[in-house]
Amino acid sequence: MNKALITGITGQDGSYLAEFLLSKGYEVHGIVRRSSSINRARIDHLRPYETGVTPRLFLHYGDLADSVSLVKLLYELQPDEIYNLAAQSHVRVSFDIPEYTADITGVGAARILEAVIESGIAKKVRFYQASSSEMFGKVQAIPQTEQTPFYPRSPYACAKLFAHWLTVNYRESYKLFACSGILFNHESPRRGESFVTRKISIAAARIKAGLQKEVSLGNLDSQRDWGYSKEYVEGMWMMLQQDEPDDYVLATNETHTIRAFLDATFEHVGLDWKQHVKFDERFLRPAEVDLLIGDYAKAKARLGWEPKTRMKALAQLMVDSDLAQARKDANR
């Protein structure tokens, strides 16, 4: 039985990845931070794997800020695969807390990579680093590929770029099987409620259900390449099943404005978003990323991976999920 360790297991990608690996017969371990409030809603449905006669899901307290706990855990578990998905991942918030973002999103990757070396598992383990399309920032080519120069435009993107190049460095310095997935925006009903796509889908659902009247947003002209998280985590796994480690872009090769995402969500519930959306400059970034569109040709050719769910279907999937919840809330 293969054994995998996931940092960020309680997040959107971590929960889908845990679900996917369990379906593949893996023993799955996840690192969770100690908190006074329990935030495990995304993996609650996986509890039978944790409490069954032969449990295959295990959660461990730890933190990317604590290198000792990482070394001890890797030495104890001896995992076959590690997926480093944990981060302070909100781009706008990274401008408010740049030092924390750098420490967890950037230096956190250094801690777990060094833990791989110190725990003595470097020769057997396969390591995945969650890189980001935000590293392209002020884009130098359209569409963006694995060869496009990076130009980060936020503390989050800078931290991700540090982690990305450090992963390359450890791969070359220690012959570590380490891959970075440069994932473009990927969403789902499990997306955090502060991210713009989920904020929109929740608003459309709650307005339709009569629970709210409007929603405040920032720049509606930003263009993004949106895919479905559930499909993207399969790409992560595929990267670690190859004969040689490499870096891959996962994307849809389509770009859409936030206005287009608003169209798709509000039209799906029979509403006109222009009557409900208010502009709020608080949601603008100090440095904007205007356009992201990724070319996934390498992933298709080498991994056999390609996206199935496009933006409009994704938006509808998300708003349907949030509408079901909004109707429950309205009937309470």
Side-chain angles (χ1 to χ4, degrees), residues 39-50:
N39 181 25
R40 300 178 189 175
R42 294 183 181 94
I43 58 172
D44 277 346
H45 66 292
L46 300 177
R47 292 286 294 183
Y49 287 106
E50 189 178 5

Side-chain angles (χ1 to χ4, degrees), residues 146-183:
E146 294 82 2
Q147 302 304 315
T148 302
F150 298 118
Y151 197 134
R153 297 270 282 172
S154 67
Y156 167 77
C158 291
K160 279 292 187 182
L161 189 54
F162 171 81
H164 176 85
W165 279 119
L166 197 68
T167 302
V168 173
N169 184 263
Y170 271 66
R171 180 169 69 213
E172 295 177 351
S173 300
Y174 300 104
K175 309 305 178 186
L176 182 66
F177 193 108
C179 302
S180 287
I182 308 173
L183 272 56

Side-chain angles (χ1 to χ4, degrees), residues 202 206 209 211 322-332:
I202 290 174
R206 290 180 61 82
L211 297 175
D322 287 324
L323 187 58
Q325 182 60 51
R327 286 171 173 160
K328 289 180 183 178
D329 294 342
N331 291 328
R332 285 178 180 171

Side-chain angles (χ1 to χ4, degrees), residues 251-312:
T252 70
N253 204 20
E254 294 180 4
T255 191
H256 303 273
T257 63
I258 293 173
R259 292 177 190 275
F261 196 90
L262 281 163
D263 286 337
T265 49
F266 277 75
E267 285 177 3
H268 189 55
V269 292
L271 296 173
D272 179 0
W273 65 264
K274 297 179 182 69
Q275 297 178 12
H276 302 282
V277 173
K278 303 295 183 182
F279 171 75
D280 191 330
E281 65 180 9
R282 291 178 303 165
F283 299 115
L284 297 177
R285 301 179 185 178
E288 190 56 78
V289 173
D290 297 317
L291 167 66
L292 291 174
I293 177 171
D295 183 348
Y296 63 91
K298 179 178 174 180
K300 182 179 180 179
R302 297 192 185 179
L303 308 179
W305 181 92
E306 58 183 321
K308 302 177 182 68
T309 306
R310 302 295 174 155
M311 186 276 285
K312 188 172 183 179

Side-chain angles (χ1 to χ4, degrees), residues 8-257:
I9 193 171
T10 59
Q12 169 189 250
D13 291 1
S15 65
Y16 280 123
L17 179 61
E19 195 173 82
F20 175 77
L21 293 176
L22 287 166
S23 75
K24 290 282 187 184
Y26 277 64
E27 179 180 301
V28 177
H29 295 257
I31 296 178
V32 295
R33 287 180 295 170
R34 175 69 179 91
S35 172
S36 58
S37 58
I38 303 299
N39 181 25
R40 300 178 189 175
R42 294 183 181 94
I43 58 172
D44 277 346
H45 66 292
L46 300 177
R47 292 286 294 183
Y49 287 106
E50 189 178 5
T51 58
V53 177
T54 55
R56 291 194 286 116
L57 175 64
F58 303 87
L59 301 180
H60 308 268
Y61 286 119
D63 200 303
L64 288 184
D66 183 2
S67 56
V68 173
S69 69
L70 295 174
V71 174
K72 289 171 64 177
L73 186 59
L74 295 190
Y75 183 80
E76 174 189 340
L77 294 181
Q78 297 285 307
D80 301 293
E81 298 173 3
I82 297 172
Y83 297 85
N84 184 35
L85 310 185
Q88 188 304 99
S89 59
H90 198 287
V91 178
R92 177 62 190 85
V93 171
S94 76
F95 285 98
D96 299 324
I97 49 172
E99 183 178 346
Y100 176 78
T101 300
D103 185 45
I104 300 303
T105 308
V107 181
R111 293 188 184 104
I112 194 164
L113 282 165
E114 190 60 20
V116 167
I117 304 303
E118 291 299 316
S119 62
I121 65 171
K123 291 183 179 180
K124 63 165 283 188
V125 77
R126 298 192 169 202
F127 181 88
Y128 174 85
Q129 169 61 28
S131 290
S132 169
S133 60
E134 286 286 332
M135 300 187 308
F136 293 119
K138 188 175 181 180
V139 298
Q140 305 298 294
I142 299 174
Q144 293 89 57
T145 72
E146 294 82 2
Q147 302 304 315
T148 302
F150 298 118
Y151 197 134
R153 297 270 282 172
S154 67
Y156 167 77
C158 291
K160 279 292 187 182
L161 189 54
F162 171 81
H164 176 85
W165 279 119
L166 197 68
T167 302
V168 173
N169 184 263
Y170 271 66
R171 180 169 69 213
E172 295 177 351
S173 300
Y174 300 104
K175 309 305 178 186
L176 182 66
F177 193 108
C179 302
S180 287
I182 308 173
L183 272 56
F184 281 65
N185 294 64
H186 46 290
E187 321 296 319
S188 76
R190 300 181 193 174
R191 186 60 144 154
E193 295 181 9
S194 62
F195 290 85
V196 67
T197 51
R198 187 75 194 290
K199 189 175 180 180
I200 290 170
S201 67
I202 290 174
R206 290 180 61 82
I207 292 169
K208 181 66 175 179
L211 297 175
Q212 71 183 67
K213 294 182 178 180
E214 61 186 36
V215 61
S216 297
L217 301 173
N219 183 7
L220 304 185
D221 296 316
S222 294
Q223 299 178 68
R224 293 292 185 269
D225 184 324
W226 281 303
Y228 186 19
S229 172
K230 191 173 183 178
E231 298 168 1
Y232 282 44
V233 300
E234 294 185 27
M236 299 176 187
W237 175 78
M238 289 177 176
M239 293 178 204
L240 299 195
Q241 311 315 306
Q242 304 307 301
D243 293 333
E244 298 294 334
D246 207 345
D247 305 323
Y248 297 88
V249 163
L250 299 188
T252 70
N253 204 20
E254 294 180 4
T255 191
H256 303 273
T257 63

